[in-house]
Amino acid sequence: MQTITTTEALAAFCEAARAHPYVTVDTEFLRERTYYSRLCLVQLAMPGTGEEGAVLVDPIAGGEALSLAPLYDLFRDPSVVKVFHAARQDLEIFAVAEGVIPAPLFDTQVAAMVCGFGDQAGYETLVRKIARASVDKSSRFTDWSRRPLSDAQKSYALADVTHLRQIYEHLAAKLEKTGRSAWVEEELRTLADPETYRTDPAEAWRRLKTRNTAPRFLGILRELARFREEYAQARDVPRSRVYKDDALLELAATKPQSHQDLGRARLLLREARKGEIADGILAAVRAGLDCPQEDLPRLAPETHGKAQANPAIADMLRVLLKARSDQSGVAGRLLASAADLDHLAAGGRDVPALSGWRREVFGEDALRLCRGEIGLVVRGEEVAAVPL
């Protein structure tokens, strides 16, 4: 097992990788104690068998002797496909650290959902079904920041990129055979978009779940969420270390305007009742209270609560979705979400299921079903759509 700890060794590997059509990539990181993920290990593998052509890149053991610049150059090389499984968190690390997103990109989890492996296309499942192997899970939840790494940790980490080679080759061939490569490329556009990895503190309030939609309440909520996000980012600490979501909602409702008021908060951490956090909370509440009425945030009716869907139509759409998923071999939750179906049943049309390749596989028939142009019948063990 080769472990790279110097820039020169990494540059040599990356130069060798450029001679191949793809390289598989994975990372190990920690985020429990920080806002941003702390990169602990990068695993890379060129085409080959076993541990041939596979390396571990150790930024912790390498310290100042290791720059990841050669890896970022490889990520930018358009001649080499960068293959990940469930790439979202891995890509965020590189996007935040260097502003680079590997391209061209391939995500085997997305590809597997298009190729008939169902909604839960986990890595272990693909290893078992495609590579005919198993993955030792014993090191999954170890502390990847501690050194030295054990042989078990290294073996586990390498398995995340060595089996990935066979999985990628199998899925890429199947996509080419079925003509669905463009479907996966369409799905990967969001992962390849730098905006996916940018957190705007002014928009942080939107991730909170609340039934209170009063504009003034939402204005205070927005300012409290903004302060928490800015504080957590600046100090690289988890949001929950500043104050948790339930405490934020409580503060937006009670509108504390003094340190004495903060002392009566039930859910606020003791550390947040004084100092910079306490001052930030009170300033945020004041900003929310002073915000002009016309600048307060508002939720459109369709963005909170469930749409008033026709239950019968919603149920029929679910049957149609299951049928189209079975017939096409595409995971149902990739074709349409439960919210998409309810929105369609309520008369809405602005849903992902009605655009791109999804419309071809499911969306067009979903519209026809809603218009009463087709019905569903049972033929043997299958459900079929018939014109009316």
Side-chain angles (χ1 to χ4, degrees):
M1 289 181 282
Q2 181 187 357
T3 301
I4 290 176
T5 57
T6 67
T7 305
E8 292 73 20
L10 178 59
F13 175 87
C14 292
E15 185 60 34
R18 286 189 170 89
H20 298 279
Y22 72 85
V23 60
T24 56
V25 190
D26 190 42
T27 68
E28 305 299 339
F29 57 87
L30 290 180
R31 197 173 189 171
E32 289 82 0
R33 298 183 293 272
T34 57
Y35 181 91
Y36 300 105
S37 297
R38 182 188 179 193
L39 181 63
C40 298
L41 198 67
V42 182
Q43 303 96 278
L44 303 165
M46 298 180 281
T49 57
E51 294 180 357
E52 173 190 349
V55 298
L56 303 174
V57 182
D58 192 338
I60 295 178
E64 294 183 0
L66 175 63
S67 165
L68 294 180
L71 177 62
Y72 296 139
D73 288 340
L74 177 62
F75 282 171
R76 296 184 183 100
D77 190 331
S79 68
V80 182
V81 177
K82 274 63 71 170
V83 181
F84 293 78
H85 180 83
R88 174 66 172 78
Q89 290 183 301
D90 301 313
L91 297 180
E92 182 180 14
I93 293 172
F94 303 122
V96 170
E98 192 64 22
V100 60
I101 297 175
L105 174 69
F106 191 96
D107 189 325
T108 55
Q109 185 178 64
V110 175
M113 292 173 73
V114 171
C115 288
F117 286 88
D119 289 343
Q120 304 297 326
Y123 184 67
E124 290 84 2
T125 299
L126 298 182
V127 170
R128 185 176 68 254
K129 291 185 176 181
I130 296 176
R132 304 297 180 186
S134 60
V135 176
D136 181 1
K137 303 178 184 179
S138 60
S139 296
R140 172 178 292 179
F141 299 113
T142 57
D143 185 347
W144 292 98
S145 67
R146 298 185 64 178
R147 294 295 181 273
L149 295 173
S150 67
D151 288 343
Q153 285 178 298
K154 293 179 180 180
S155 295
Y156 170 86
L158 277 178
D160 283 344
V161 288
T162 53
H163 297 309
L164 193 56
R165 298 176 294 198
Q166 190 173 347
I167 292 169
Y168 165 67
E169 291 175 3
H170 175 90
L171 294 175
K174 191 166 185 177
L175 289 171
E176 184 68 25
K177 183 178 179 180
T178 58
R180 295 182 178 181
S181 297
W183 295 10
V184 173
E185 290 172 8
E186 185 177 325
E187 291 305 296
L188 294 180
R189 286 174 191 162
T190 299
L191 286 176
D193 184 355
E195 289 300 318
T196 300
Y197 310 101
R198 294 192 182 118
T199 302
D200 181 0
E203 297 297 313
W205 67 279
R206 296 187 184 278
R207 60 177 290 275
L208 297 162
K209 296 180 179 179
T210 175
R211 294 182 179 180
N212 189 339
T213 59
R216 184 62 61 187
F217 170 85
L218 294 178
I220 299 171
L221 189 77
R222 178 179 62 188
E223 298 307 318
L224 286 167
R226 185 207 306 266
F227 165 70
R228 182 176 69 168
E229 207 73 21
E230 291 174 344
Y231 187 95
Q233 288 179 353
R235 292 157 182 78
D236 195 19
V237 296
R239 295 183 189 94
S240 60
R241 287 272 298 277
V242 187
Y243 39 83
K244 298 182 185 297
D245 287 357
D246 56 359
L248 195 158
L249 292 168
E250 179 191 22
L251 293 169
T254 58
K255 301 182 276 295
Q257 298 180 53
S258 68
H259 287 82
Q260 186 176 8
D261 291 341
L262 284 181
R264 288 191 286 267
R266 291 188 308 111
L267 303 174
L268 197 61
L269 296 173
R270 180 178 300 175
E271 295 79 7
R273 299 169 189 260
K274 57 187 177 180
E276 288 183 312
I277 298 179
D279 292 342
I281 290 172
L282 296 176
V285 171
R286 283 195 299 272
L289 290 171
D290 294 342
C291 181
Q293 191 72 26
E294 61 272 18
D295 294 334
L296 291 172
R298 288 171 173 78
L299 291 177
E302 64 271 18
T303 63
H304 64 275
K306 288 189 175 181
Q308 295 301 307
N310 182 312
I313 297 177
D315 287 344
M316 292 182 70
L317 285 169
R318 285 172 171 77
V319 174
L320 177 65
L321 177 64
K322 179 66 167 60
R324 288 291 177 262
S325 174
D326 291 344
Q327 292 159 8
S328 65
V330 179
R333 70 183 180 94
L334 192 63
L335 287 172
S337 67
D340 285 350
L341 300 183
D342 288 340
H343 197 65
L344 285 168
R349 295 297 180 260
D350 184 20
V351 294
L354 297 183
S355 63
W357 64 271
R358 288 181 176 84
R359 186 178 186 115
E360 173 188 344
V361 178
F362 169 72
E364 196 60 49
D365 277 347
L367 287 176
R368 294 174 65 201
L369 182 67
C370 291
R371 293 193 297 260
E373 297 174 3
I374 62 172
L376 302 176
V377 298
V378 177
R379 290 177 176 167
E381 296 183 352
E382 293 186 352
V383 173
V386 294
L388 298 177

